[in-house]
């Protein structure tokens, strides 16, 4: 039956519409072929500055990302990091296969097939947009995500004049740039390099950047040991670290991990049995965010940072972003023993201090009376008080009210942190009751610092008592006085009568007579060795009088003391402030045969690729003759060997089969307790005291250096010798290469007087000083 005219018209009209659709499709296709490269060219060449910047070839070949600089001990342990973003890179070979598989399953299963742009994934995104279906997945490849992470393609530096005005254009331009950069990255790097670079750049939250730091932060394991469920959890955090953080949002993180595990099963990385068994396992977290206040040598790391920042400024590096490798002299074993010894002694000592001042405040004046308004005056120096004044005004009652209002706070204690309610005033009062310490141990032959303990807890007490702090050394300064005498011809067997020594001084009264510790003078003749061993003030004062105060200052300078020193008679008793750092360097000169070696703690610095940027060697100078240095070691040994010596109380086990020298020091009113110890391979110094001089024990029996500081040295050295892997052994000090010109056995002097003039024994005559007559006879 012939078709009607109307049917023919409909059919004809349909063919016209179909033809128009075909023409439109081909037109769009052809225009797209023309427009796409034009668009890409305009974006990549930043046409008239409309589209912002693009990385050049050199930048693509050497992409920058902020890398943490790492600090290593001399025995290869990671001591700490300096960073804005805590990131340490790894290579592909150092990745866990589980992590790679989880990432491929979740983000880019065709990673090995595409060249930066996955057309199938892109079309899937388009289909999702047209059908309003957001469950079809994303279109960004791992390479595109790397481009976004490395070059911040959606940041301000990549915006142009046109993209700043239009959000949609900005998004399209940014995506186009990521495609372009991705293709270039694929040409410049292997797939393995791109995978490693991506896992090094991503953020996991908790200031953990990159897979290496993330594995340590969440599981305390190396990144190559991540198992399947750990890898799936970390991959689940990639697009929203806070939302899927297992610590803050465990249920949400568990659902996301299950989703990743299912993708791994779906893409044949897991069997059904593996998936079913793994998805029910707990996270197994050992979450710990890297903290500058935790770990070994916290005070040392802060001091090292100051020196490293100066070096970086001078040499054009960024300590917090350039991934430098810094190798130090610190020995992790000795550092551990020093920190343990400090903690053991200070725990015990602090309890005694609390008991000693129970019911009273320890800040007292020279007459033993509590200082009025002590805490109130110190409170005005705090940042909290200053911020309140800035907010309310200096004369506002609100300042005092806020300073005395209890609030939730964590406070330090030797039994662990305490959660409590405490006002800022009470908090300050609480912390002023604590004793502090500084300790340093050094190899005297090289100047390398092996252990550095700057205080009792870096989180709560930032002040470093090794190099930053300076306090009166008391009798530990006396060996420098005796050094001036020994190096100018006096023998360790030279005798001085223990009687008062009076100096003419400027002031009222016009004279000064240094008292002995017990306020008495024995009147007996003591050798210099005995005088130093027993720390008799009158003997040290007479020696200073004989050699001159300026001579002692000059010898202190030779021995590396750079702190201001007053050339006054009281210098003999150690009244001028010095640091533990300086004193250890000075004592090291005696062990190092008279050569002063500046203590140092950095051996070399490398860039992120392992290229050596600089190697460091210490400054040295000849300060004493070998013979004078050895005689001073013999003098210092007297403290542990002579009757009444200040180091006799060292452990028998420490002194057995060992030559060891030492010197205690106690400043006026027991404000500072010191001990300096020397062995053939290590020189160590310890200081203990309150953070202010007015805070101290009331009695010498409790507050002397032998009770406060010496036990730390004793405990430390016992631990060092007990560790055969540390390499430190007992033994005698090395003698000078040439024979001594003086006899060190003082008993032989008397025998020498009985021998004939033909006696070949090389001895010096016995000399005695009457401190009253001030003459030698």
């Amino acid at each position: 039956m012939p078709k009607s005219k109307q049917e023919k018209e409909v059919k004809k009209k349909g063919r016209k519409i179909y033809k128009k659709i075909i023409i439109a499709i081909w037109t769009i296709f052809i225009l797209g072929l023309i427009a796409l490269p034009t668009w890409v060219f305009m974006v990549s060449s930043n046409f008239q500055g409309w589209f912002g910047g693009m990385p050049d070839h050199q930048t693509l070949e050497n992409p920058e990302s902020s890398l943490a600089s790492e600090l290593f001990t001399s025995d290869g342990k990671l001591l700490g990091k300096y960073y804005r973003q805590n990131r340490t890179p790894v290579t592909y070979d150092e990745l866990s296969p589980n992590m790679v598989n989880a990432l491929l399953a979740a983000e880019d299963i065709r990673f090995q097939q595409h060249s930066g742009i996955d057309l199938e994934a892109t079309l899937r995104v388009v289909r999702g947009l047209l059908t309003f279906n957001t469950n079809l997945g994303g279109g960004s490849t791992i390479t595109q995500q790397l481009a976004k992470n490395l070059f911040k393609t959606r940041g301000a530096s990549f915006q142009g004049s046109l993209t700043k005005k239009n959000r949609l254009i900005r998004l399209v331009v940014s995506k186009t740039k990521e495609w372009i950069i991705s293709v270039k990255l694929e040409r410049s790097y292997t797939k393995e390099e791109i995978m490693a670079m991506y896992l090094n750049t991503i953020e996991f939250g908790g200031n953990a950047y990159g897979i290496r730091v993330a594995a340590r932060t969440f599981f305390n394991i190396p990144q190559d040991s991540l198992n399947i469920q750990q890898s799936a959890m970390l991959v689940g955090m990639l697009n929203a670290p806070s939302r899927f953080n297992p610590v803050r949002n465990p249920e949400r993180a568990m659902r996301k991990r299950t989703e990743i595990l299912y993708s791994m099963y779906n893409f044949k990385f897991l069997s059904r049995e593996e998936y079913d068994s793994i998805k029910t396992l707990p996270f197994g977290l050992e979450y710990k965010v890297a903290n500058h206040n935790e770990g070994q040598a916290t005070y040392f790391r802060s001091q090292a940072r100051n020196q490293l920042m100066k070096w970086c400024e001078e040499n054009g590096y960024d300590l917090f972003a350039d991934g430098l490798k810094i190798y130090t002299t610190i020995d992790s074993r000795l550092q551990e023993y020093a920190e343990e010894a400090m903690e053991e002694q200070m725990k015990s000592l602090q309890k005694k201090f609390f008991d000693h001042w129970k019911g009273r405040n320890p800040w007292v004046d020279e007459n033993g009376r509590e200082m009025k308004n002590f805490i109130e005056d110190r409170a005005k120096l705090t940042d909290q008080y200053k911020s309140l004044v800035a907010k309310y005004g200096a004369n506002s009652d609100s300042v005092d009210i806020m300073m005395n209002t209890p609030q939730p706070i964590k406070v330090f204690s030797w039994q662990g942190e305490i959660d409590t309610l405490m006002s800022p005033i009470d908090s300050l009062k609480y912390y002023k009751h604590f004793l502090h310490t500084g300790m340093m141990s050094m190899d005297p032959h090289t100047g390398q610092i092996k252990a550095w303990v700057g205080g009792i807890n870096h989180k709560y007490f930032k002040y470093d008592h090794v190099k930053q702090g300076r306090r009166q050394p008391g009798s530990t300064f006396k060996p420098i006085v005796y050094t001036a005498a020994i190096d100018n011809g006096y023998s360790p067997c030279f005798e001085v009568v223990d009687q008062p020594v009076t100096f003419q001084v400027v002031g009222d009264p016009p004279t000064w007579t240094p008292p002995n510790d017990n306020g008495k003078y024995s009147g007996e003749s003591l050798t210099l060795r005995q005088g130093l061993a027993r720390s008799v003030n009158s003997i040290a004062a007479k020696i200073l009088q004989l050699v001159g105060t300026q001579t002692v200052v000059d010898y202190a300078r030779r021995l590396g003391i750079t702190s201001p020193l007053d050339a006054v008679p009281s210098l003999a008793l150690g009244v001028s402030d010095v640091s533990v750092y300086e004193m250890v360097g000075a004592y090291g000169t005696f062990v190092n045969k008279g050569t002063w070696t500046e203590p140092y703690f950095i051996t070399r610095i490398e860039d992120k690729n392992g290229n050596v940027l600089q190697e460091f060697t210490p400054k040295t100078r000849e300060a004493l003759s070998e013979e004078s240095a050895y005689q001073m070691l013999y003098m210092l040994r007297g403290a542990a060997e002579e009757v009444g010596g200040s180091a006799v109380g060292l452990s028998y086990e420490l002194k057995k089969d060992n030559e060891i020298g030492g010197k205690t020091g106690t400043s006026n009113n027991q404000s500072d307790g010191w001990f300096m110890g020397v062995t053939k391979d290590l020189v160590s110094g310890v200081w203990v005291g309150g953070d202010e001089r007015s805070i101290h024990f009331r009695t010498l029996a409790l507050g002397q250096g032998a009770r406060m500081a010496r036990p730390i040295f004793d405990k430390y050295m016992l631990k060092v010798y007990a560790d055969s892997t540390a390499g430190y052994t007992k033994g005698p000090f090395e003698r000078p290469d040439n024979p001594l010109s003086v006899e060190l056995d003082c008993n032989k002097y008397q025998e020498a007087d009985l021998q004939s003039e033909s006696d070949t024994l090389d001895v010096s005559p016995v000399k005695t000083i009457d401190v009253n007559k001030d003459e030698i006879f």
Side-chain angles (χ1 to χ4, degrees):
M1 181 178 179
K3 296 179 180 178
S4 67
K5 187 176 180 181
Q6 187 176 2
E7 287 176 335
K8 290 180 179 179
E9 286 294 328
V10 171
K11 193 172 183 180
K12 185 177 180 181
K13 192 174 183 179
R15 284 197 297 267
K16 287 181 178 179
I17 293 173
Y18 177 74
K19 184 183 287 187
K20 287 180 179 180
I21 292 173
I22 296 298
I23 292 171
I25 291 173
W26 276 103
T27 301
I28 292 172
F29 177 72
I30 293 170
L31 288 175
L33 289 177
I34 297 171
L36 181 61
T38 303
W39 172 262
V40 170
F41 171 77
M42 291 176 68
V43 171
S44 61
S45 62
N46 188 19
F47 184 72
Q48 294 188 3
W50 286 354
F51 303 107
M54 283 281 285
D56 57 22
H57 177 74
Q58 183 176 355
T59 304
L60 283 167
E61 290 291 331
N62 298 282
E64 292 184 5
S65 60
S66 179
L67 300 179
S69 293
E70 297 179 316
L71 199 68
F72 294 94
T73 64
S74 61
D75 51 328
K77 302 292 179 63
L78 179 62
L79 195 57
K81 298 180 180 181
Y82 305 108
Y83 53 81
R84 294 187 190 91
Q85 297 178 344
N86 187 8
R87 180 188 288 112
T88 302
V90 297
T91 63
Y92 182 83
D93 293 337
E94 295 172 315
L95 295 173
S96 165
N98 297 315
M99 188 67 192
V100 173
N101 293 339
L103 181 61
L104 291 174
E107 297 291 323
D108 194 355
I109 193 61
R110 282 175 295 280
F111 175 67
Q112 294 293 343
Q113 283 74 51
H114 65 67
S115 297
I117 301 173
D118 186 349
L119 183 60
E120 182 178 333
T122 302
L123 293 175
R124 185 178 65 238
V125 172
V126 173
R127 186 169 78 249
L129 291 173
L130 294 175
T131 60
F132 302 100
N133 186 349
T134 59
N135 297 319
L136 295 179
S140 289
T141 64
I142 288 175
T143 315
Q144 288 171 34
Q145 293 179 51
L146 173 62
K148 182 172 66 175
N149 292 343
L150 280 178
F151 301 107
K152 305 296 184 291
T153 53
R154 303 185 187 188
S157 62
F158 273 77
Q159 292 181 15
S161 58
L162 183 62
T163 60
K164 287 180 181 179
K165 300 174 183 178
N166 191 298
R167 184 176 180 182
L168 179 61
I169 294 178
R170 182 164 67 245
L171 180 62
V172 174
V173 168
S174 297
K175 197 64 182 176
T176 306
K177 287 181 178 181
E178 289 165 16
W179 288 347
I180 297 169
I181 296 171
S182 296
V183 173
K184 291 183 177 181
L185 287 172
E186 291 274 352
R187 293 173 180 170
S188 300
Y189 299 98
T190 65
K191 289 289 185 179
E192 289 76 15
E193 289 173 329
I194 290 172
M195 175 70 74
M197 289 169 69
Y198 174 69
L199 286 172
N200 284 328
T201 58
I202 50 183
E203 178 185 359
F204 292 90
N207 205 12
Y209 292 82
I211 189 61
R212 181 173 182 172
V213 176
R216 282 293 179 194
T217 300
F218 289 94
F219 301 109
N220 193 29
I221 59 173
Q223 77 288 335
D224 58 2
S225 299
L226 288 167
N227 60 30
I228 296 170
Q229 62 269 27
Q230 291 168 339
S231 299
M233 190 209 82
L234 292 174
V235 168
M237 297 175 64
L238 295 183
N239 296 322
S242 297
R243 179 177 175 79
F244 298 112
N245 186 298
V247 178
R248 301 191 187 111
N249 301 299
E251 293 182 3
R252 195 178 289 160
M254 182 62 76
R255 288 196 299 270
K256 188 67 175 178
R257 189 189 75 168
T258 302
E259 179 185 319
I260 303 298
L261 289 171
Y262 185 80
S263 293
M264 295 182 73
Y265 157 68
N266 190 43
F267 290 117
K268 311 302 182 186
F269 291 115
L270 296 178
S271 67
R272 183 72 197 194
E273 292 77 13
E274 287 175 316
Y275 167 70
D276 288 337
S277 62
I278 292 174
K279 72 178 182 179
T280 60
L281 294 176
F283 289 125
L285 297 173
E286 289 188 34
Y287 184 70
K288 188 175 183 180
V289 178
N291 191 316
H292 292 297
N293 293 318
E294 296 179 353
Q296 273 198 335
T298 49
Y299 290 90
F300 168 77
R301 280 147 49 189
S302 293
Q303 288 297 308
R305 179 188 60 202
N306 297 336
Q307 182 168 322
L308 289 166
M309 287 178 65
K310 182 179 179 182
W311 182 90
C312 286
E313 183 179 350
E314 294 172 350
N315 293 275
Y317 290 93
D318 186 341
L319 178 64
F320 304 101
D322 285 349
L324 303 176
K325 309 293 184 186
I326 303 131
Y327 296 88
T328 75
T329 62
I330 297 293
D331 187 303
S332 67
R333 294 158 296 189
L334 270 63
Q335 182 67 31
E336 178 183 355
Y337 303 144
E339 291 179 1
E340 288 177 353
M342 177 277 293
E343 184 171 336
E344 291 169 11
Q345 166 63 2
M346 295 307 290
K347 274 185 179 179
S348 172
L349 190 66
Q350 189 62 55
K351 185 179 184 303
K352 292 178 182 177
F353 194 73
F354 282 149
D355 292 341
H356 183 71
W357 285 102
K358 190 173 183 179
R360 298 179 57 184
N361 289 319
W363 38 89
V364 293
D365 60 21
E366 294 181 356
N367 298 313
R369 293 189 294 264
E370 181 177 340
M371 300 170 66
K372 294 181 179 180
N373 300 319
F374 177 85
I375 290 297
E376 291 75 10
D377 291 341
R378 300 308 183 274
K380 293 177 181 178
L381 302 176
T382 64
D383 292 336
Q384 189 169 8
Y385 181 89
K386 293 174 182 177
S387 66
L388 289 172
V389 168
K391 182 176 182 179
Y392 297 109
N395 299 319
S396 173
D397 293 339
S398 297
V399 175
D400 289 334
I401 291 172
M402 295 299 294
M403 289 296 290
N404 286 279
T405 300
Q407 53 191 264
I409 188 176
K410 283 183 182 290
V411 296
F412 168 79
S413 84
W414 279 113
Q415 288 69 46
E417 287 185 327
I418 300 174
D419 288 299
T420 186
L421 285 172
M422 193 176 286
S423 71
I425 286 290
D426 287 338
S427 172
L428 182 60
K429 184 182 299 184
Y430 171 75
Y431 282 128
K432 285 296 182 181
H433 280 75
F434 278 90
L435 293 174
H436 300 271
T437 188
M439 176 187 178
M440 192 180 101
S441 189
M442 181 188 79
D443 180 336
H445 307 292
T446 63
Q448 294 187 355
I449 298 170
K450 295 300 178 181
W452 181 307
V453 182
I456 60 175
N457 187 284
H458 190 261
K459 179 178 179 179
Y460 290 94
F461 308 99
K462 302 295 187 189
Y463 194 80
D464 176 75
H465 293 285
V466 169
K467 192 175 184 181
Q468 185 180 5
R470 289 182 170 88
R471 295 294 282 263
Q472 290 183 348
S475 294
T476 58
F477 192 84
K478 288 177 181 175
I480 298 176
V481 178
Y482 284 94
T483 296
I486 293 294
D487 202 48
N488 281 281
Y490 290 91
S491 162
C493 297
F494 187 80
E495 293 184 351
V496 179
V497 177
D498 175 19
Q499 290 185 355
V501 179
T502 300
F503 293 88
Q504 299 294 322
V505 296
V506 177
D508 185 17
T511 61
W512 177 69
T513 303
N516 286 334
D517 288 340
N518 58 8
K520 301 177 182 179
Y521 304 91
S522 66
E524 64 177 313
S525 294
L526 300 176
T527 65
L528 297 191
R529 189 177 196 244
Q530 291 170 331
L532 179 60
R534 300 179 193 178
S535 201
V536 181
N537 288 346
S538 65
I539 307 297
K542 190 58 191 181
I543 294 301
L544 179 128
Q545 193 178 67
L546 288 173
V547 300
T549 54
Q550 187 56 51
T551 300
V552 172
V553 171
D554 292 342
Y555 270 89
R557 299 290 181 235
R558 288 194 196 182
L559 298 175
I561 305 296
T562 59
S563 294
L565 299 174
D566 296 323
V568 295
S570 57
L571 181 67
L573 307 188
V575 297
S576 293
D577 292 351
V578 295
S579 68
V580 172
Y581 174 91
E582 291 173 302
M583 291 296 283
V584 171
Y587 275 64
T589 309
F590 306 139
V591 186
N592 199 30
K593 294 186 173 183
T595 298
W596 173 78
T597 302
E598 181 181 34
Y600 79 113
F601 48 76
I602 296 174
T603 55
R604 75 179 186 277
I605 299 176
E606 298 177 356
D607 67 13
K608 63 183 179 182
N609 298 315
N611 300 310
V612 177
L613 302 177
Q614 187 169 343
E615 293 183 304
F616 298 84
T617 55
K619 298 176 183 177
T620 62
R621 64 168 169 265
E622 296 299 319
L624 307 171
S625 67
E626 281 192 34
E627 181 169 312
S628 293
Y630 187 78
Q631 288 185 64
M632 283 308 303
L633 288 177
Y634 179 70
M635 295 274 287
L636 290 169
R637 283 169 49 197
E641 298 171 357
E642 294 278 356
V643 175
S646 60
V648 169
L650 289 171
S651 299
Y652 169 76
E653 180 59 32
L654 189 59
K655 294 186 290 184
K656 181 183 177 183
D657 302 322
N658 197 22
E659 285 189 352
I660 188 167
K663 186 71 195 78
T664 58
T666 309
S667 65
N668 202 24
N669 291 335
Q670 301 79 238
S671 296
D672 307 277
W674 289 71
F675 187 79
M676 302 296 302
V678 297
T679 65
K680 66 183 181 68
D681 295 317
L682 285 173
V683 175
S684 307
V686 183
W687 167 88
V688 175
D691 69 346
E692 297 198 44
R693 300 174 202 268
S694 58
I695 300 171
H696 51 75
F697 282 105
R698 296 192 300 273
T699 64
L700 184 63
L702 290 172
Q704 61 183 283
R707 294 291 179 88
M708 294 204 297
R710 189 177 67 194
I712 296 179
F713 171 82
D714 193 282
K715 294 173 186 291
Y716 165 69
M717 289 304 303
L718 287 173
K719 293 173 186 287
V720 171
Y721 285 140
D723 184 355
S724 59
T725 68
Y728 294 93
T729 58
K730 297 178 179 179
F733 292 107
E734 186 178 356
R735 295 179 67 89
D737 295 331
N738 298 318
L740 295 176
S741 63
V742 297
E743 175 58 61
L744 297 182
D745 185 350
C746 301
N747 292 327
K748 292 185 178 181
Y749 281 119
Q750 186 174 6
E751 298 174 7
D753 289 341
L754 301 175
Q755 292 175 353
S756 64
E757 293 182 1
S758 62
D759 192 338
T760 59
L761 185 65
D762 183 12
V763 297
S764 300
V766 177
K767 300 177 181 178
T768 301
I769 298 176
D770 185 325
V771 295
N772 286 328
K773 294 183 178 179
D774 192 20
E775 61 184 24
I776 301 174
F777 65 98

